[in-house]
Amino acid sequence: MSAAPLVGYSSSGSEDEAETEACARPGVGGRHRGQSPLPSQRLPVPDSVLHMFPGTEEGPEDDSAKHGGRVRTFPHERGNWATHVYVPYEAGEDFLELLDVLLPHAQTYVPRLVRMEAFHVSLSQSVVLRHHWILPFVQALKDRVASFQRFCFTANQVKIYTNQEKTRTFVGLEVTSGHAQFLDLVSEVDRVMEEFDLPTFYQAIVDEFEDSEILLRVRAGQVRCKSGNKFFSMPLK
């Protein structure tokens, strides 16, 4: 975006030159011979201009209490967007009833354990995207998952997970039936991550799948990407 000019110039170059010469020669178009020069005065610079480009910039305060106990795993930097790819899950009555049973028991061991506000199945770890990468990244994801069909999956084993930085612990339900489709999705997401030189998904999680009694049956209908405060949805066929 071009800025509006601060000074307007005449369209005639010869007129500009004439004015310059008139101002430069004493006694012509300016002060008369023997007249005292006008005192030079510097106009004050507005505060809005002085603070346009500060020498140092402070990032936002990292208060984990305001973010469900989450701790920033990489430093804040302007233009960096925390990004995560996942399959969303709209909690039904059966799942909420299961939470009501599990949570009190778990809190006897971990009193700080809290109930999440939203639920999902991760297809990537959290990565950092530059702002100008977001749209190309999302488009690459759309291209990769465009041919995937919707599918049903079951989560049938309670399991404890800890993030790679050891700053958060989760009580989750492990996906069993339908895990092959999830592995295919993870593989495509990993390819996009590699294209942008970003870390791929945790291999330990990808390798750990076991069968047991069914607790929850879910239909996967879309892949979603959250980047900063932006959400992008990619419906499956």
Side-chain angles (χ1 to χ4, degrees):
M1 180 177 66
S2 60
L6 297 178
V7 180
Y9 294 96
S10 169
S11 59
S12 172
S14 59
E15 292 178 359
D16 291 344
E17 294 173 0
E19 290 180 3
T20 302
E21 292 176 358
C23 292
R25 291 195 304 241
V28 180
R31 59 185 178 88
H32 296 289
R33 185 181 301 275
Q35 183 177 351
S36 299
L38 295 175
S40 61
Q41 294 182 350
R42 298 183 61 182
L43 297 176
V45 181
D47 289 341
S48 58
V49 176
L50 289 174
H51 295 91
M52 285 179 64
F53 306 102
T56 59
E57 180 179 346
E58 295 182 359
E61 181 182 357
D62 188 12
D63 187 352
S64 62
K66 298 179 180 179
H67 307 285
R70 295 191 294 273
V71 177
R72 187 183 295 278
T73 56
F74 42 83
H76 171 79
E77 182 180 341
R78 181 177 291 277
N80 281 355
W81 292 60
T83 302
H84 177 222
V85 184
Y86 60 96
V87 171
Y89 169 60
E90 299 295 334
E93 290 297 325
D94 52 350
F95 182 74
L96 296 178
E97 291 174 0
L98 177 62
L99 281 184
D100 290 338
V101 173
L102 291 177
L103 189 59
H105 289 287
Q107 287 175 333
T108 61
Y109 300 95
V110 186
R112 295 179 58 189
L113 195 65
V114 296
R115 178 169 164 171
M116 299 292 293
E117 296 180 358
F119 307 94
H120 62 264
V121 179
S122 293
L123 300 179
S124 78
Q125 57 177 302
S126 292
V127 297
V128 179
L129 274 183
R130 300 296 295 174
H131 183 267
H132 59 278
W133 290 354
I134 295 176
L135 292 182
F137 179 85
V138 172
Q139 185 58 54
L141 282 177
K142 289 181 177 179
D143 294 342
R144 288 288 182 182
V145 305
S147 61
F148 276 81
Q149 301 285 339
R150 299 186 180 191
F151 62 97
C152 291
F153 64 92
T154 58
N156 61 1
Q157 185 175 1
V158 178
K159 194 160 186 178
I160 307 298
Y161 298 93
T162 302
N163 65 351
Q164 189 170 3
E165 295 78 18
K166 308 299 182 183
T167 59
R168 300 190 75 197
T169 298
F170 307 86
V171 178
L173 293 178
E174 189 178 46
V175 172
T176 53
S177 174
H179 71 271
Q181 290 92 327
F182 271 111
L183 289 179
D184 289 340
L185 282 173
V186 169
S187 177
E188 295 301 325
V189 173
D190 278 352
R191 292 185 181 183
V192 176
M193 295 293 180
E194 290 171 347
E195 289 176 13
F196 287 80
D197 198 24
L198 296 170
T200 55
F201 203 29
Y202 309 113
Q203 190 61 40
I205 294 180
V206 173
D207 289 340
E208 293 177 0
F209 288 99
E210 300 176 3
D211 293 326
S212 63
E213 182 181 0
I214 293 177
L215 291 176
L216 186 66
R217 183 173 176 84
V218 185
R219 183 175 178 83
Q222 64 174 301
V223 171
R224 191 173 293 172
C225 176
K226 180 180 184 296
S227 186
N229 58 359
K230 299 179 182 293
F231 291 85
F232 303 90
S233 180
M234 289 145 274
L236 302 180
K237 294 175 64 177

